[in-house]
Amino acid sequence: MMYLAVLLALIPASAQADDDKDMKSIERITVTGSRIVESLDEVPASITLIDQQQLQENLKVSSELQNLLALAVPGMAPGTGSTSNFGQTLRGRNVLVMIDGVPQDTPLRNGGLGIRTLDAASIERIEVVNGATSIWGNGAAGGVINYITKKPTESAANVMLSQSVRSSLVKTKDSLGYRTVVSVDGTEGKLGYVTKLSQEKYGVQRDADGDILGLQYGLSDSQQRDAFLKFVYSLDDSRSIQLSYNYYDSAQDANYRDVPGNIDLGGKTYAVPLAQGETAPGAPQGPEGNYNLMAKYQDNELFSHTALVVDAYSQKIDNVFFWSSALANPEQGFNGGQSAILSEKDGLRAVLTSNVALGLLDATFVYGLDMLQDVTSQPLLDQRIWVPEMDMGSHALFVQSKWELGDDWTLKAGARSESVSVEVADYTTLKLCTNAQTCSKPFAVSGGEIDYDATTYNAGIRYRLSNAFSPFVSYSEGFEVPDLGLLLRTATVKDISLIQSEASVVKNYEAGFSSELDRLYLNIAVYRSESELGTGSQLDKTTGIYIPVRAPQKIWGYEASAEYRLSDAWQFSAAYGYTEGKDTKNDIYLGARQISAPKLTSSVRYLPTTDLSFSMYWLHVFNRDRFMANEQGFYTGDQGPVHSYDVLNLSANYQFNNWQLFGGIENLLNEDYFPARSQSFRYGSGYSVKGIGATVNLGVSYTF
């Protein structure tokens, strides 16, 4: 499976005596972007697979999935160093995050919190489809991240207990935290099960100077809890039913306050303890009891050569944001405010897979129906309504096909027809004041119904010429409803029909190849995506509010990854990702909300014995400076320059009998830096927060 080896360029294989045996042991998997069970060497697109081993290596350093994705996926923007993935795009566009195919984002009011929706210990592997994909519908303009959760083991009961502690190495005071994971899985007769409970408590997070990181979207003094349950019952050899449930909450309840800093003046935002008698404004920020519930029925032999999967899911999201003085209205007695994105989804999907022999051709057809009801709003905790309730109903029909043309060619093509309707009642936009003299003007807006209909297509072909050269080309369209809540809350018209709320079809072109040259594996791809109605933002100086701007956009870039196995003990990998984009109407570069600075990642793994392993991961972010400061020397919006920085992580693991000792150090060299998003964003001082300084994580686990 040559192409799989290439895609594992950032996922070094485990130490075994025979590398070829390792590769052959990896079975066919479901590739998220096509819903077809297939080998990765058949896919005419760029796919990144993050396996269990790489997950475990990074958990020894940090449980934050943002960091793992930034290291593993060439086209993924660098991590933000916070609980928010706002600005962490994939190939310059929004990415659809899913848990076992259930969407975790809130596209009607995108809060940038989709990546952090479950504990990493619940994940078996992560599949990332790079580039727009039409097969999953709304929200996948930049690609898809699918968290595949763990499956039951075949033993009667497998129990794992893990305990770790975490602390700053720069200044240990109040920085001690802990992480506890308990899991039990197994199979009893026809019933398989997975149960996992985890809790993580952070101490204060410190930068390279030992100062406490700013609190906006912060992790200091926060606590995360996650419960995951899965039950699989085999009705017979071909039919099964499955029920899974995931609960996740996180709250930051810190007795600190921010000291604002201006990055243009060389300052940073950091936190200090509250003074005696002082209380923190607002409620703890973070998701409050988010959950996913999914029931699935699978029949692998519905009739001859055809399988059926039907699943229904229900989801609740309640994400509380930080308190902000920008939500003030002195006339009504509000000196600030705090919002929450509320979303409830119910979905049903029916998917049929048919394998057909047409003469000398083998074909696979995947076709079905997706239905979704999504009610989303963004009220303030003080009962003011910032974004009114948006009631969306959607249904889509899709078909995806794969054709094996002899032994060397694979052709894939498909289409999806989607119909979306969103209802909004009459509402009035909020009057918000950044200061006593600068306030927005409220508008009474007549509601109504907004309808979207789109048919999107995809096609691609791969030619397996030889192990040394396997090229592919592909074309795929993605359908994206804009951040409607953002458009509604900043409306300056009297009727909802006058808001520029049209959906956008993203057209993605890609070409690349993979190569296997003895112990060297390569993967290279170039891409270009176009959309007639991308969404940017522009500061309204009269109100101090950023107004959405719709304009055509073009994004392009390239990626390269390589893995070299020097020996069974030493393995090396590296990947480079470059993305750039423009507003083609005004011929100006896109800001950091979409376009990240180029980055290079690499890793070294050393396995001197079968029981001992070491790994080191390096992230280098390059410069990006596309915009001019104003006359006063300040930048606005997302146009700040990015200056290069490096982060080095180290982890180690020792296994003896049923015990495992592990440890990791994040930012080993204590690099003093601002993350790329902090350098670019000027949406208030809360983003001017430095990256975490050297931090150690030590733990032990026991399995029986």
Side-chain angles (χ1 to χ4, degrees):
M1 295 170 62
M2 177 271 296
Y3 188 53
L4 179 56
V6 177
L7 292 169
L8 292 175
L10 283 173
I11 311 165
S14 58
Q16 300 288 340
D18 189 344
D19 287 345
D20 293 336
K21 182 178 179 180
D22 286 348
M23 301 310 299
K24 293 177 182 177
S25 69
I26 301 175
E27 297 179 354
R28 298 164 72 85
I29 67 169
T30 302
V31 177
T32 305
S34 61
R35 290 178 162 177
I36 294 177
V37 178
E38 58 189 339
S39 299
L40 287 173
D41 65 345
E42 300 170 336
V43 182
S46 294
I47 310 291
T48 303
L49 172 65
I50 304 173
D51 68 0
Q52 181 63 203
Q53 187 164 11
Q54 190 176 15
L55 275 164
Q56 290 301 320
E57 284 183 350
N58 283 271
L59 275 172
K60 293 170 176 57
V61 176
S62 168
S63 63
E64 295 302 311
L65 290 167
Q66 268 195 32
N67 300 337
L68 169 61
L69 290 164
L71 287 168
V73 185
M76 196 81 182
T80 66
S82 71
T83 62
S84 166
N85 54 269
F86 176 46
Q88 191 176 23
T89 55
L90 179 59
R91 290 187 172 181
R93 298 194 183 274
N94 292 330
V95 60
L96 177 64
V97 181
M98 303 188 295
I99 299 177
D100 292 330
V102 176
Q104 301 302 300
D105 302 278
T106 53
L108 292 176
R109 175 69 278 269
N110 189 355
L113 298 171
I115 287 178
R116 203 170 184 268
T117 53
L118 84 167
D119 187 83
S122 303
I123 301 174
E124 181 65 34
R125 70 179 187 273
I126 303 174
E127 296 175 4
V128 182
V129 179
N130 301 286
T133 175
S134 64
I135 204 66
W136 284 103
N138 182 31
V144 174
I145 299 172
N146 196 16
Y147 300 139
I148 309 297
T149 58
K150 290 186 174 179
K151 298 178 176 61
T153 56
E154 295 181 357
S155 59
N158 181 52
V159 182
M160 190 277 291
L161 309 173
S162 179
Q163 181 67 56
S164 60
V165 293
R166 180 179 172 88
S167 173
S168 169
L169 289 174
V170 184
K171 186 177 180 180
T172 60
K173 182 181 178 182
D174 299 326
S175 69
L176 186 66
Y178 67 86
R179 173 178 167 81
T180 304
V181 181
V182 180
S183 68
V184 183
D185 63 84
T187 301
E188 289 282 357
K190 293 186 175 183
L191 178 65
Y193 62 92
V194 178
T195 62
K196 193 270 317 175
L197 301 173
S198 67
Q199 178 171 283
E200 185 161 10
K201 174 69 172 68
Y202 285 88
V204 296
Q205 306 293 286
R206 298 186 182 275
D207 62 22
D209 296 323
D211 294 323
I212 301 172
L213 302 183
L215 302 179
Q216 182 171 302
Y217 298 117
L219 287 166
S220 290
D221 279 0
S222 66
Q223 179 173 280
Q224 291 80 48
R225 298 180 299 170
D226 186 272
F228 175 73
L229 304 171
K230 178 185 285 187
F231 300 96
V232 182
Y233 185 77
S234 298
L235 300 171
D236 52 38
D237 291 341
S238 62
R239 297 181 301 149
S240 65
I241 54 176
Q242 175 181 302
L243 182 68
S244 61
Y245 175 80
N246 186 79
Y247 172 93
Y248 179 82
D249 71 17
S250 174
Q252 182 191 51
D253 194 5
N255 293 316
Y256 299 89
R257 63 175 177 84
D258 278 345
V259 177
N262 189 317
I263 194 171
D264 286 327
L265 299 176
K268 65 182 179 182
T269 296
Y270 62 98
V272 296
L274 295 172
Q276 186 174 0
E278 184 181 8
T279 58
Q285 59 179 313
E288 293 190 340
N290 295 358
Y291 71 77
N292 293 279
L293 176 65
M294 186 170 94
K296 176 186 291 187
Y297 170 76
Q298 184 167 344
D299 188 341
N300 294 328
E301 288 292 339
L302 180 65
F303 48 85
S304 179
H305 305 296
T306 297
L308 168 69
V309 176
V310 179
D311 61 62
Y313 60 89
S314 180
Q315 179 193 82
K316 176 190 172 186
I317 290 176
D318 184 352
N319 290 328
V320 178
F321 290 84
F322 53 90
W323 188 92
S324 173
S325 60
L327 299 176
N329 186 335
E331 289 183 0
Q332 297 180 355
F334 298 110
N335 63 349
Q338 193 170 8
S339 72
I341 290 181
L342 309 179
S343 178
E344 294 186 4
K345 297 189 185 80
D346 294 293
L348 177 68
R349 298 178 297 200
V351 182
L352 292 157
T353 303
S354 298
N355 297 307
V356 181
L358 302 173
L360 298 177
L361 299 179
D362 291 325
T364 300
F365 295 92
V366 178
Y367 46 101
L369 168 70
D370 290 345
M371 301 179 67
L372 174 64
Q373 192 72 31
D374 180 355
V375 180
T376 297
S377 62
Q378 188 178 15
L380 300 186
L381 300 191
D382 56 32
Q383 306 305 311
R384 288 180 289 167
I385 300 300
W386 198 12
V387 176
E389 204 169 77
M390 299 167 286
D391 190 343
M392 183 190 80
S394 70
H395 62 271
L397 297 171
F398 66 89
V399 60
Q400 186 72 28
S401 65
K402 182 181 74 172
W403 304 79
E404 295 294 342
L405 310 177
D407 296 330
D408 302 325
W409 294 86
T410 299
L411 171 66
K412 294 180 68 175
R416 179 184 177 96
S417 178
E418 188 150 11
S419 179
V420 178
S421 179
V422 184
E423 294 183 1
V424 180
D426 297 347
Y427 72 100
T428 301
T429 61
L430 281 182
K431 179 180 180 180
L432 300 176
C433 302
T434 54
N435 55 56
Q437 293 76 35
T438 307
C439 299
S440 64
K441 179 182 178 182
F443 278 81
V445 183
S446 298
E449 183 174 299
I450 304 174
D451 296 320
Y452 304 97
D453 295 287
T455 300
T456 54
Y457 304 91
N458 68 85
I461 190 166
R462 176 176 281 278
Y463 177 42
R464 295 179 292 278
L465 175 64
S466 66
N467 286 349
F469 188 62
S470 178
F472 72 88
V473 294
S474 67
Y475 170 79
S476 184
E477 297 176 343
F479 172 67
E480 186 173 47
V481 172
D483 190 335
L484 189 57
L486 183 62
L487 298 174
L488 295 180
R489 80 185 194 190
T490 57
T492 56
V493 294
K494 299 292 186 180
D495 193 286
I496 194 174
S497 63
L498 301 176
I499 298 174
Q500 193 177 11
S501 59
E502 296 90 342
S504 180
V505 173
V506 178
K507 300 179 180 181
N508 186 78
Y509 307 85
E510 184 173 3
F513 70 91
S514 57
S515 298
E516 178 184 357
L517 304 169
D518 192 20
R519 291 177 176 268
L520 177 65
Y521 304 91
L522 298 173
N523 188 42
I524 295 175
V526 296
Y527 59 88
R528 173 184 174 131
S529 68
E530 300 172 350
S531 58
E532 294 184 1
L533 276 175
T535 302
S537 63
Q538 184 175 357
L539 178 65
D540 184 342
K541 295 181 180 180
T542 61
T543 64
I545 294 175
Y546 284 90
I547 304 298
V549 176
R550 308 297 304 280
Q553 296 177 347
K554 177 179 67 176
I555 295 175
W556 65 93
Y558 56 90
E559 300 163 356
S561 60
E563 178 187 348
Y564 182 70
R565 300 184 183 186
L566 180 64
S567 65
D568 293 338
W570 288 96
Q571 295 147 23
F572 306 89
S573 68
Y576 176 79
Y578 173 89
T579 303
E580 193 51 271
K582 276 191 169 185
D583 170 342
T584 55
K585 178 181 179 181
N586 300 297
D587 192 29
I588 57 175
Y589 284 100
L590 299 176
R593 285 183 62 176
Q594 290 182 259
I595 306 300
S596 65
K599 69 180 176 71
L600 172 69
T601 60
S602 63
S603 69
V604 178
R605 180 180 292 168
Y606 176 53
L607 304 101
T609 70
T610 56
D611 300 321
L612 181 63
S613 64
F614 300 90
S615 62
M616 184 174 292
Y617 288 84
W618 171 49
L619 167 68
H620 176 77
V621 176
F622 293 86
N623 297 328
R624 184 177 188 253
D625 188 357
R626 294 293 192 185
F627 306 99
M628 298 291 293
N630 61 23
E631 294 179 357
Q632 291 75 37
F634 296 103
Y635 293 88
T636 60
D638 58 352
Q639 298 184 350
V642 176
H643 302 291
S644 64
Y645 60 89
D646 298 271
V647 178
L648 193 66
N649 298 336
L650 174 69
S651 69
N653 181 77
Y654 179 62
Q655 181 84 37
F656 62 99
N657 298 324
N658 294 341
W659 293 90
Q660 183 183 101
L661 301 177
F662 59 87
I665 300 177
E666 184 174 3
N667 193 1
L668 176 67
L669 302 181
N670 198 37
E671 175 90 349
D672 186 13
Y673 72 100
F674 285 96
R677 187 183 74 169
S678 296
Q679 296 189 52
S680 299
F681 279 18
R682 298 298 188 274
Y683 303 113
S685 62
Y687 290 103
S688 301
V689 178
K690 284 195 171 182
I692 193 169
T695 303
V696 65
N697 185 64
L698 299 172
V700 59
S701 63
Y702 180 66
T703 304
F704 60 94

